[in-house]
Amino acid sequence: MDEIGKELRAVVADPPPTRIDVDGLIRAEGRRRRQRTWVWSGTGAAAAAAAVLGVPALVVGGGAPWPAPAGLPSAFPSPEVSLCAGVSPKPSGPQPPLQSYGTVRVRPTEPPVDGVSRLTGALREALRDRLPAGVRVESAQPGCTEPQFQFHPSYREYEAGGWLRQGEHRGLLLLQLRPTARDQMPPSCEHAVNPQDCTVVGHPDGTATVRSTLPGEPGQRQLTVLVLRPDGTAVLGVTNNFQDGPEGSTTTAPEPLLTMDQLDELARSPGLTLYP
C-alpha cells in the first residue's frame, strides 16, 4: 500500500461512526496520482515540465543523434529560425539508457539540431496562425521570447513548453513529439490520461486524436490531446488553467485558454512530424 493509503488508514484506525469511504478515497487518490504521473513523467513530459521550470534537464541538439540523413528531400524545408541563446542546458546527472522499443517505420533520420530548428519554426508559425484572438504565448525558457523545441537525448523526444496569456489569465501549453511503437494499439481511450472522460476523433487524413479532460481542484481543468499520425509520429498536447507551486495548486484562469478543438488543431499542425 502506498504512503497516502497508510496515512488515511492511520487517521481512521479507531474512527468514530462515519460515512467516509476510506477505500474509495484511497482508490480515487491513487487514480489521480497515476494520471498526473502519466502526464508529467510517464510519457516523457517530465522533461518538458522541467524545461518550463528552468531545470537543466534537456539539451538542444545534444546526445547521441539518430542515424545520418538518408538524403531524402524534405516536405517541410526548414527556414532560418532564430533559436535562443543560453537554452542548451546539459544534463545534471547520468542519462537513463536509450529506449529500445521499435517504431512504425525506421527511426527518424533528421539530426536533432536540424529537428529542433525545423520543429521550432513549424510551432511558431502554427501559434501565429492558430491562437485565438487576444491570446499570446510566452516562452517559459529563460532568455527566450518565443517557445522553442528541445531534444531529450535519452528518449529521442522533442518537447516545447510555454505560457498562454490573455490579460491577467494564463495557462500552461506543452507539446511533445515522439515516435510511436511498432505494436501501438489502435487509437482508443486506453491511451487517455482520463479514460472516464475521453473521446477518439478520426480525421480525413488518417490521423486520430485521443482527447481527454482531467479535473483538478474545484474550477481547474487540464485538457490533453494525443495525436497519432499515420506516419508514426505521436504528438502530445497539454493545456490547463492552473499552476502547481510549493504551497499547492493555484487557479490561473476561469477556463483553459485553448478549447479542446483548438488544442487538437494546434497539435495536428502539418509541420509537427518526425518524418518530414
Side-chain angles (χ1 to χ4, degrees):
M1 185 185 303
D2 64 10
E3 290 303 314
I4 188 66
K6 292 178 181 178
E7 292 170 8
L8 283 171
R9 292 212 180 278
V11 169
V12 296
D14 187 20
T18 177
R19 295 178 62 86
I20 295 175
D21 180 359
V22 177
D23 290 321
L25 286 174
I26 293 173
R27 288 193 299 271
E29 179 62 19
R31 284 195 302 272
R32 183 172 182 272
R33 291 171 65 186
R34 285 194 300 274
Q35 289 162 350
R36 288 222 170 196
T37 299
W38 191 95
V39 173
W40 297 116
S41 62
T43 65
V52 168
L53 298 175
V55 178
L58 303 174
V59 297
V60 176
W66 276 306
L72 297 177
S74 172
F76 299 98
S78 178
E80 289 297 323
V81 176
S82 175
L83 299 177
C84 303
V87 293
S88 302
K90 300 300 181 185
S92 58
Q95 293 293 284
L98 177 65
Q99 291 175 339
S100 59
Y101 59 78
T103 56
V104 169
R105 52 194 292 181
V106 297
R107 283 193 178 276
T109 58
E110 188 175 38
V113 65
D114 293 343
V116 166
S117 178
R118 178 183 61 79
L119 291 169
T120 295
L123 173 61
R124 292 176 180 175
E125 180 179 356
L127 290 170
R128 286 191 293 269
D129 293 343
R130 291 176 169 82
L131 283 187
V135 176
R136 57 190 176 89
V137 63
E138 296 177 352
S139 173
Q141 299 163 344
C144 290
T145 57
E146 294 185 89
Q148 79 175 38
F149 275 95
Q150 293 185 303
F151 178 70
H152 194 294
S154 299
Y155 300 103
R156 313 288 177 101
E157 296 168 346
Y158 293 90
E159 288 122 348
W163 291 104
L164 297 170
R165 287 191 177 272
Q166 186 177 47
E168 296 300 315
H169 300 148
R170 71 172 184 170
L172 175 71
L173 176 65
L174 184 65
L175 291 170
Q176 177 205 61
L177 278 75
R178 61 178 174 83
T180 56
R182 179 178 289 119
D183 57 355
Q184 178 97 8
M185 295 181 297
S188 75
C189 285
E190 292 187 26
H191 295 101
V193 175
N194 183 11
Q196 284 72 44
D197 188 350
C198 164
T199 58
V200 179
V201 179
H203 303 282
D205 64 354
T207 298
T209 302
V210 181
R211 300 178 172 193
S212 182
T213 301
L214 181 66
E217 304 299 328
Q220 297 179 353
R221 291 202 308 151
Q222 181 160 281
L223 310 180
T224 66
V225 297
L226 178 61
V227 172
L228 300 172
R229 296 185 182 277
D231 68 5
T233 302
V235 184
L236 176 70
V238 181
T239 192
N240 62 28
N241 64 335
F242 60 88
Q243 178 180 4
D244 287 327
E247 298 183 359
S249 183
T250 303
T251 303
T252 56
E255 291 286 336
L257 298 183
L258 294 181
T259 66
M260 188 72 81
D261 285 342
Q262 291 165 343
L263 181 63
D264 187 348
E265 184 179 2
L266 177 63
R268 289 188 293 113
S269 299
L272 299 183
T273 176
L274 297 178
Y275 302 94

